[in-house]
Amino acid sequence: MRAAQIVSHDGPSALKIGEAPDPTPADGEVLIDTHVAGVTFPDLLMTRGEYQLSPEFPFVPGSEVAGTVRTAPTGSGFAPGDRVVGFPGIGGFAEMTPCRTEAVFALPENFSFAQGAALPMNYLTCEFALARRGRVAEGETVLVHGAAGGIGTAAIQLAKAAGARVIAVVSSDDKADVARKAGADDAVMADGFLPAVKELTGGQGVDVVVDPVGGDRFIDSLRSLAPEGRLLVVGFTGREIPTVKVNRLLLTNTEVVGVGWGAFAFRQPGFMREQWERLLPLIESGAVDPPLGSSYPLERAADALIELDERRATGKVTIDLGA
């Protein structure tokens, strides 16, 4: 099969396109003919050896896919030809991807394969972040950093579905347009976002911050919280892990909350399936409608990662396997 493989820790250039052995699914795995693979920040980190998962070379990255079932275990509920999405964790940048049955979900007929590939990582992460870790309630205000990216647009749509007001933090007017189209009520520029947020909230601040960026905006994110607010740490695309003086949390009764969706979900059998069942009504109603960004052929998988690396991505970046 054709695949993109990481052969060193030299960044996106370490991704080489060529032939790889056809995978043999293990017991309890569905083998998927990959039509579209989603591109995620962990894929980029893997090219530099900066992710917690570091397989032996060569290996195929790619944590989310959409396609059709090639083979499925008896009793899995899937059959050859079924349209599905999957979260394999690794192996998605290839024509065939094995995936544990519990992380494979039927793709609704009204969704394209590209839309399907945009769902597993971003929407399941944000559902976990907002519902379980952030306890977002109707009428609250949610601030979303990186609001034009895959995680950002997912957070916007799920927060709106929960009845929250959403303020998007972006770095350009084009990205503000993407965030508003995803459902954000307001958009502010990352440079100087704190006074803008304070003005929009009448000085009160926001109830929840979704932060997949980290870096130097972290302290102002804390300052933007209302009393008893929650700052959700989703990732560090800004490449800097911030620190916090915990006296600030005490004085304002605020929380900094870790969001490790994968670490939680893989230890809780059936949890991803429960999340998917909660997402389905939102998918069917149109409340969940992933904004799609750039699409690359497999031969240009490195360019897809470079787009993420340079923080140019708006919407979900995907790789089209041409199936």
Side-chain angles (χ1 to χ4, degrees):
M1 67 173 182
R2 291 187 309 139
Q5 298 184 87
I6 294 176
V7 298
S8 68
H9 287 149
D10 295 318
S13 65
L15 210 60
K16 303 301 179 185
I17 314 302
E19 294 295 315
D22 290 355
T24 300
D27 290 344
E29 286 188 333
V30 175
L31 185 59
I32 300 170
D33 284 324
T34 312
H35 290 237
V36 179
V39 182
T40 68
F41 197 69
D43 298 324
L44 173 63
L45 294 179
M46 284 184 184
T47 68
R48 296 194 173 98
E50 296 174 353
Y51 195 58
Q52 55 260 41
L53 179 65
S54 186
E56 293 184 6
F57 300 129
F59 66 93
V60 179
S63 59
E64 50 188 0
V65 298
T68 54
V69 173
R70 175 172 286 235
T71 64
T74 301
S76 65
F78 297 107
D82 286 350
R83 300 172 77 249
V84 295
V85 299
F87 184 77
I90 193 170
F93 290 6
E95 291 180 316
M96 290 182 280
T97 308
C99 188
R100 295 187 306 173
T101 299
E102 66 186 60
V104 178
F105 316 101
L107 178 61
E109 289 298 325
N110 63 321
F111 258 43
S112 68
F113 288 118
Q115 289 174 303
L119 291 172
M121 171 74 84
N122 294 336
Y123 283 84
L124 296 182
T125 293
C126 289
E127 197 277 340
F128 175 69
L130 294 169
R132 188 180 186 102
R133 303 297 289 147
R135 311 181 303 281
V136 172
E138 184 173 0
E140 291 192 313
T141 299
V142 177
L143 181 72
V144 178
H145 286 286
I151 284 285
T153 51
I156 289 169
Q157 291 184 351
L158 292 179
K160 289 300 295 180
R165 174 192 182 188
V166 177
I167 301 173
V169 181
V170 294
S171 58
S172 69
D173 289 337
D174 288 345
K175 291 184 176 182
D177 289 341
V178 171
R180 289 193 181 97
K181 287 178 182 177
D185 298 285
D186 300 284
V188 299
M189 293 296 126
D191 185 15
F193 74 89
L194 178 59
V197 168
K198 288 291 190 181
E199 182 177 351
L200 285 170
T201 60
Q204 175 70 11
V206 300
D207 301 290
V208 175
V209 174
V210 178
D211 184 9
V213 179
D216 56 8
R217 66 179 69 180
F218 186 81
I219 296 301
D220 277 351
S221 291
L222 281 177
R223 291 171 176 154
S224 74
L225 287 174
E228 297 189 88
R230 293 85 73 195
L231 194 163
L232 306 180
V233 180
V234 181
F236 310 104
T237 61
R239 298 290 181 78
E240 179 185 340
I241 298 176
T243 58
V244 57
K245 293 182 178 180
V246 295
N247 65 311
R248 179 179 298 278
L249 309 183
L250 184 152
L251 293 171
T252 55
N253 288 297
T254 49
E255 304 171 49
V256 174
V257 184
V259 179
W261 167 70
F264 182 89
F266 282 124
R267 291 180 174 86
Q268 301 289 330
F271 180 71
M272 278 190 273
R273 181 77 52 197
E274 293 170 6
Q275 287 189 285
W276 189 259
E277 292 300 320
R278 290 193 289 270
L279 283 182
L280 275 178
L282 303 179
I283 293 171
E284 292 165 356
S285 72
V288 163
D289 183 15
L292 298 178
S294 303
S295 174
Y296 294 85
L298 182 64
E299 288 72 20
R300 294 185 59 202
D303 291 333
L305 293 177
I306 289 170
E307 183 173 330
L308 261 65
D309 195 23
E310 295 179 350
R311 299 181 69 174
R312 293 184 283 110
T314 56
K316 183 64 177 180
V317 178
T318 57
I319 294 173
D320 190 334
L321 277 293

